[in-house]
Amino acid sequence: MSHSAIPRPRTVVGCTLLVIALSAGVTTACGADGNPLSHRPYDAADQISFNGPVEGREKADPDKPLEVVAEDSDGRITDVTAYDATGRYLAGELAADGSRWHSTAPLAANAGYTVRVSTEDEDGAPGRKVLTFDTGKPTTKKRLDVTFGPRTGTYGVGQPVTAELSRAVKDRAQRAVVERALKVSSMPAVDGAWHWVDEKKLHYRPKDYWPAQATVQVRSNLEGIKIGDRLWGGGKAKPLTFSTADKLIAVTDASAHQMTVYKNDEIIRQIPVTTGMPGYDTRNGVKVVLAKEGTVRMTSASIGASDFYDLIVHHSVRVTNSGEYVHAAPWSVGSQGAANVSHGCTGMSTENAAWFYDTVREGDIVKVINSGGDTMAPFGNGFGDWNLDWQKWRTGSALLGGTPDGPAEADRARLRPQSI
């Protein structure tokens, strides 16, 4: 058959968004001179049609899917890879018979793309064609921007990553587009996932706590990506890098009136404490240190307590937004280690509180067990993220919810054609 370039009509076919990505390359085999697989790849321009613009001329509409069609009934497409100038791969699906490939993820706006097409003819000889094109600007001015947290710094191993969106995203398919573009990596690498807290907020945490002495990097690939009808990713996301310190976990047994502090899984201090009295029981569960506030005025009005108090409290470490602290309580030293007499906070001697205040940092873990209180809610009152087990956490992901656990996130990233 002839492989000279013959113009073909361009075909435009719509497609439904899928989540299948294909990016494997095809390697030609070696053989004798008579074996068609030993030939150098021929120009496959006469075997395919492409719905993109002619190279170097008009720009492609980023609202439309990309499609490559096998025009020769005796040949077929064996592989297609498409990526933009920043290295972001475009997910797509190849028909089982090799007749058609189409993109299953949005094209980026105002970007340059390279498309590598591999084919074979009826004799099995390989063909190649490289296509390039640019996309135009989106027609809408609606942009979705993202702001990451926490601030750059060093945190405890329980610190979640947060992403605040500038607009609400309700549709699950649109959430998947957003989630796929928000990249979190760590060294050492760990398995982790995003969880949608509400329509404008996501949290990311590992399956287990971050490793000690880790470096975490967060960035957005949303710029120029179509999220939904008339909504595109903006380019204002500032990348984030933070590190973790030693693994520090303080476990308070409310029934034993004792706090045990672990550093890298070794006990470094045991502290007599008092927690919430009946009716003001301290919340059970895992909490994350939110702030070291030092000297704080605490009043009964702040929690609606029926018995009046108005105290200046020192060495105060906040663990919930509603006002639960670990702090110095010199007025209750006689009860510390013996009874629970507070209004929900964990109190200890001034000496122990000063040590605790100097030892912990934001992101460290404070866990309460054997209290009469409810378990801290995962969201809305600080970082209760760790009170969801891993399977429930994954259900909050638009990408992973409903899928089996595994392989690790690092492996999933290699399996799908996304920049990492």
Side-chain angles (χ1 to χ4, degrees):
M1 63 179 288
S2 169
H3 301 301
S4 59
I6 300 175
R8 298 286 183 179
R10 291 183 290 174
T11 305
V12 180
V13 179
C15 67
T16 303
L17 266 181
L18 302 173
V19 291
I20 301 174
L22 180 63
S23 62
V26 176
T27 305
T28 57
C30 298
D33 291 342
N35 188 332
L37 295 182
S38 67
H39 300 166
R40 295 185 62 184
Y42 58 79
D43 184 352
D46 67 327
Q47 281 191 313
I48 63 171
S49 65
F50 165 58
N51 74 323
V54 178
E55 298 179 11
R57 297 186 183 178
E58 63 197 63
K59 294 187 177 182
D61 183 352
D63 279 329
K64 296 180 179 179
L66 179 65
E67 183 180 60
V68 182
V69 175
E71 291 292 326
D72 192 326
S73 60
D74 294 326
R76 69 187 187 96
I77 299 169
T78 58
D79 183 49
V80 177
T81 58
Y83 52 91
D84 69 12
T86 69
R88 293 181 295 192
Y89 280 83
L90 180 67
E93 182 185 40
L94 179 63
D97 62 0
S99 62
R100 172 178 175 263
W101 178 95
H102 66 277
S103 59
T104 59
L107 289 162
N110 217 20
Y113 276 91
T114 299
V115 183
R116 298 183 180 275
V117 184
S118 298
T119 67
E120 66 178 19
D121 64 15
E122 70 273 21
D123 298 321
R128 300 284 190 275
K129 182 61 179 177
V130 178
L131 307 163
T132 59
F133 66 94
D134 295 327
T135 56
K137 295 181 179 179
T139 57
T140 177
K141 293 183 179 180
K142 289 173 64 176
R143 297 290 187 272
L144 182 73
D145 294 312
V146 59
T147 303
F148 295 121
R151 304 175 304 277
T152 297
T154 302
Y155 294 85
V157 298
Q159 178 65 47
V161 176
T162 63
E164 296 274 356
L165 305 179
S166 61
R167 296 177 181 271
V169 180
K170 301 179 181 180
D171 180 77
R172 185 176 181 86
Q174 294 179 14
R175 287 186 174 190
V177 173
V178 172
E179 198 174 319
R180 188 178 287 114
L182 303 182
K183 302 297 183 180
V184 182
S185 62
S186 68
M187 184 62 68
V190 292
D191 195 13
W194 288 104
H195 185 107
W196 287 79
V197 177
D198 57 37
E199 296 170 352
K200 297 178 68 175
K201 183 185 298 182
L202 301 86
H203 286 188
Y204 185 101
R205 49 153 272 209
K207 183 176 182 179
D208 301 305
Y209 300 133
W210 297 107
Q213 315 300 333
T215 299
V216 181
Q217 294 183 314
V218 189
R219 62 186 175 86
S220 169
N221 278 346
L222 274 175
E223 183 175 7
I225 294 294
K226 183 181 179 183
I227 298 164
D229 186 33
R230 301 182 61 79
L231 179 62
W232 291 77
K236 297 181 179 180
K238 182 179 179 180
L240 167 67
T241 299
F242 68 91
S243 58
T244 61
D246 291 321
K247 180 181 180 182
L248 194 97
I249 299 178
V251 180
T252 297
D253 187 332
S255 64
H257 319 293
Q258 186 90 358
M259 173 188 281
T260 304
V261 183
Y262 299 84
K263 182 176 181 180
N264 298 327
D265 301 320
E266 299 287 337
I267 296 176
I268 59 172
R269 197 169 181 112
Q270 290 185 304
I271 302 172
V273 298
T274 182
T275 61
M277 70 181 80
Y280 298 98
D281 300 276
T282 304
R283 296 173 184 85
N284 283 297
V286 178
K287 303 155 194 178
V288 176
V289 171
L290 301 177
K292 296 168 64 173
E293 297 184 3
T295 300
V296 176
R297 182 184 179 187
M298 299 185 185
T299 70
S300 53
S302 64
I303 62 169
S306 57
D307 52 328
F308 176 80
Y309 66 88
D310 188 345
L311 300 169
I312 300 299
V313 181
H314 300 289
H315 308 301
S316 299
V317 177
R318 181 186 284 271
V319 293
T320 73
N321 291 332
S322 60
E324 186 179 321
Y325 290 83
V326 178
H327 62 71
W331 55 86
S332 65
V333 169
S335 297
Q336 293 164 17
N340 292 322
V341 298
S342 83
H343 289 85
C345 292
T346 299
M348 57 186 66
S349 70
T350 300
E351 178 186 357
N352 282 325
W355 176 89
F356 186 79
Y357 186 89
D358 292 340
T359 301
V360 300
R361 67 177 71 235
E362 288 183 44
D364 282 336
I365 297 296
V366 175
K367 183 177 182 180
V368 176
I369 61 174
N370 298 325
S371 170
D374 295 332
T375 299
M376 181 182 178
F379 311 110
N381 194 20
F383 293 132
D385 304 48
W386 303 100
N387 294 313
L388 288 180
D389 66 31
W390 183 238
Q391 292 302 325
K392 289 182 179 179
W393 182 267
R394 282 166 49 88
T395 63
S397 165
L399 290 174
L400 304 181
T403 65
D405 184 12
E409 180 63 24
D411 296 328
R412 284 193 296 270
R414 286 194 292 270
L415 290 172
R416 63 176 180 261
Q418 300 291 331
S419 59
I420 60 174

